[in-house]
Amino acid sequence: MAEKIPVVVIIDLDGTIVESKPADVLFCQGFKLEPGKQIIGEYAVSAILHLLKGGIGRVSEHLIETVQTIWHGGSYSNGSYPLVSGMEEALEASKSLVLYLALISSNRREFVERTGRKVLPLFDYVVTRENAGRKSDGLQLIIDKFGLPKHKHCLFGDTIWDERAAGKAGIHFRGVGWGWKHFKPVNDYGFARTPSEIPQIIQQTFL
């Protein structure tokens, strides 16, 4: 058996491991909007969803209350979103490559356990909203957990907020081409067009 690469690969749950489209569609329906339509600017629906999953910027208490009412009154936090096609196999292959595999989510643990139950046994550490309100703080918990240098960590995610959190934590970031689709295959540092490419990008990053 080949020796595992002594690194920590961190994978975002929401939109990266599990589909995000159901939340997008249902949330828009709650606001009586057509999915994909802007409210007040680019990525507005995405921004409001992420507000609920960790908080970004400053918004009015009324907006927060309105959004939370729609969110908790719908199926967003009660449903179980499907795994992205090919993700289970990609995670198994990644687990066989690296020393540690971690999962991070800005959702609550109950949601994470229900939605990701099929793949959770593959992870050595799981960080949820109860552990850290901000994703960058959650990433620091993972860094502290395993005690490896920051350059030995890499986060895979589907949003610009994932990328910013990784930058703030001082670790590698690799974008994926599904979920919220914030990233396009135009970079030279690694971009996963499909889950099956994640193990290859891990090797490109650390070997």
Side-chain angles (χ1 to χ4, degrees):
M1 184 177 178
E3 186 174 346
K4 291 189 175 185
I5 309 170
V7 298
V8 182
V9 169
I10 309 159
I11 305 185
D12 167 66
L13 175 75
D14 319 291
T16 306
I17 294 177
V18 299
E19 298 281 3
S20 62
K21 186 175 181 181
D24 184 15
V25 173
L26 289 170
F27 186 79
C28 289
Q29 289 174 349
F31 265 120
K32 295 182 172 55
L33 298 170
E34 292 181 29
K37 287 295 182 67
Q38 295 182 358
I39 303 174
I40 53 175
E42 189 176 17
Y43 299 132
V45 172
S46 174
I48 293 173
L49 281 172
H50 280 77
L51 168 68
L52 290 172
K53 298 187 291 185
I56 55 172
R58 292 185 177 181
V59 298
S60 71
E61 291 183 6
H62 174 70
L63 176 58
I64 294 176
E65 183 178 353
T66 300
V67 171
Q68 287 178 334
T69 299
I70 293 174
W71 180 269
H72 293 297
S75 301
Y76 326 106
S77 58
N78 298 322
S80 182
Y81 304 148
L83 292 175
V84 171
S85 178
M87 181 53 67
E88 186 174 5
E89 294 81 2
L91 292 175
E92 290 172 346
S94 300
K95 177 69 173 176
S96 69
L97 276 177
V98 302
L99 192 57
Y100 300 115
L101 194 63
L103 180 149
I104 191 166
S105 173
S106 297
N107 263 306
R108 297 189 181 280
R109 181 165 293 273
E110 184 276 333
F111 174 87
V112 172
E113 290 178 348
R114 182 180 66 250
T115 303
R117 62 184 179 276
K118 193 173 183 180
V119 295
L120 280 181
L122 294 171
F123 291 93
D124 301 291
Y125 192 43
V126 175
V127 172
T128 64
R129 186 173 180 176
E130 287 86 348
N131 303 116
R134 295 181 181 274
K135 186 159 286 184
S136 58
D137 293 337
L139 293 174
Q140 186 61 53
L141 286 176
I142 295 171
I143 293 168
D144 294 341
K145 169 73 175 178
F146 298 113
L148 293 176
K150 289 187 175 182
H151 69 274
K152 295 287 189 179
H153 297 70
C154 181
L155 170 66
F156 282 85
D158 65 310
T159 71
I160 54 175
W161 294 289
D162 294 330
E163 182 177 35
R164 290 171 183 171
K168 187 173 181 180
I171 67 174
H172 295 291
F173 176 79
R174 301 293 181 259
V176 303
W178 56 91
W180 286 102
K181 298 184 178 179
H182 284 186
F183 304 104
K184 305 298 180 185
V186 295
N187 53 58
D188 58 3
Y189 60 71
F191 173 92
R193 293 167 295 185
T194 64
S196 64
E197 292 186 350
I198 290 177
Q200 177 185 351
I201 293 172
I202 290 173
Q203 292 178 311
Q204 290 174 345
T205 302
F206 294 111
L207 294 180

